[in-house]
Amino acid sequence: MIVPLLHVLVLAGILFVLGLTCVLVWRSNIIMMLIGIEIMLNAAMLAFVGGANRWGAADGQVFALMIMAMTSAEVSLALALVVYLHRRKKTVNADEFNSMRG
């Protein structure tokens, strides 16, 4: 491995913290929350792939592919939800969506 596992894990940790910060700072904007969640999932994928490369097993890469499939489904459903909510309330502010009634 050209890049040591510690460097990969530090980068994954930094990405995860940045994603968590994005979610916590922009809690009112649904789109920014989704971007933060995607960054956190990418950090987890990076850690899985780095571990798989370090130990020579394909398990981490398989988990990374599963996470990619899950995130693509999550993005499509979340985008549909955001478009629906924007058409109903004319905003993407999460504080406006406190009830399921019209």
Side-chain angles (χ1 to χ4, degrees):
M1 181 173 197
I2 296 172
V3 180
L5 180 62
L6 179 64
H7 294 169
V8 173
L9 293 178
V10 167
L11 178 62
I14 290 169
L15 280 175
F16 191 85
V17 168
L18 286 173
L20 184 64
T21 304
C22 182
V23 169
L24 293 177
V25 169
W26 285 292
R27 277 188 302 193
S28 61
N29 192 343
I30 294 175
I31 295 172
M32 290 304 291
M33 286 174 50
L34 292 173
I35 290 172
I37 291 170
E38 291 297 321
I39 292 172
M40 288 190 287
L41 288 171
N42 285 334
M45 280 193 302
L46 181 63
F48 279 133
V49 171
N53 192 12
R54 166 68 173 89
W55 288 289
D59 297 345
Q61 294 172 357
V62 171
F63 278 120
L65 287 173
M66 292 169 127
I67 291 173
M68 278 187 211
M70 182 189 66
T71 57
S72 64
E74 181 252 339
V75 164
S76 63
L77 289 174
L79 184 60
L81 180 66
V82 167
V83 168
Y84 172 75
L85 292 174
H86 184 269
R87 284 185 181 172
R88 264 189 92 124
K89 300 274 187 167
K90 304 295 184 218
T91 184
V92 291
N93 188 356
D95 297 332
E96 298 292 326
F97 307 117
N98 55 7
S99 69
M100 293 301 287
R101 290 177 288 156

